[in-house]
Amino acid sequence: MREQVKRSAMADERIELKVEQMERAISNCPAKTGIGPDDMNKDMMLRMPREVVQEMAALASIMINETVLPCTGKESIIVLLPKPGGGRRPIGLIS
């Protein structure tokens, strides 16, 4: 999907993501990741009805083509994780 976006941006073409591409992207997400502000995790997304994934693909296509993010796409949860040698490092969990 990334390559399609890059090629399309260079050629000034519109992108229409397919349901299969969204399903593959969801399947390729790491299993043990933190949950962002939307409280969605990989297992929940894998169990969504195909119609919902189709709507997600349409929404993602619009966001890519219009180069916009909804306000919630700009939110993150910041967590401070301890470093092995002491101190902490910030990690941002986004949706």
Side-chain angles (χ1 to χ4, degrees):
M1 189 169 8
R2 284 186 191 153
E3 288 304 314
Q4 181 184 3
V5 171
K6 287 179 187 176
R7 283 193 308 273
S8 179
M10 289 188 284
D12 204 25
E13 299 172 4
R14 295 193 59 80
I15 289 181
E16 294 300 324
L17 297 176
K18 296 179 176 67
V19 174
E20 295 79 17
Q21 290 173 299
M22 289 300 292
E23 291 171 337
R24 189 169 42 250
I26 293 168
S27 294
N28 288 336
C29 288
K32 301 277 185 185
T33 58
I35 298 174
D38 62 5
D39 290 330
M40 296 283 291
N41 63 30
K42 179 180 177 176
D43 291 334
M44 293 168 71
M45 289 190 280
L46 287 172
R47 292 186 179 126
M48 287 191 281
R50 193 168 176 88
E51 294 81 20
V52 174
V53 179
Q54 188 172 8
E55 291 299 319
M56 287 175 56
L59 180 59
S61 296
I62 291 168
M63 291 188 313
I64 291 168
N65 290 317
E66 303 298 325
T67 61
V68 294
L69 280 178
C71 292
T72 56
K74 299 173 187 174
E75 295 176 6
S76 65
I77 297 171
I78 306 297
V79 179
L80 295 174
L81 297 179
K83 292 167 103 175
R88 298 183 180 273
R89 66 183 171 124
I91 298 292
L93 304 173
I94 59 174
S95 295

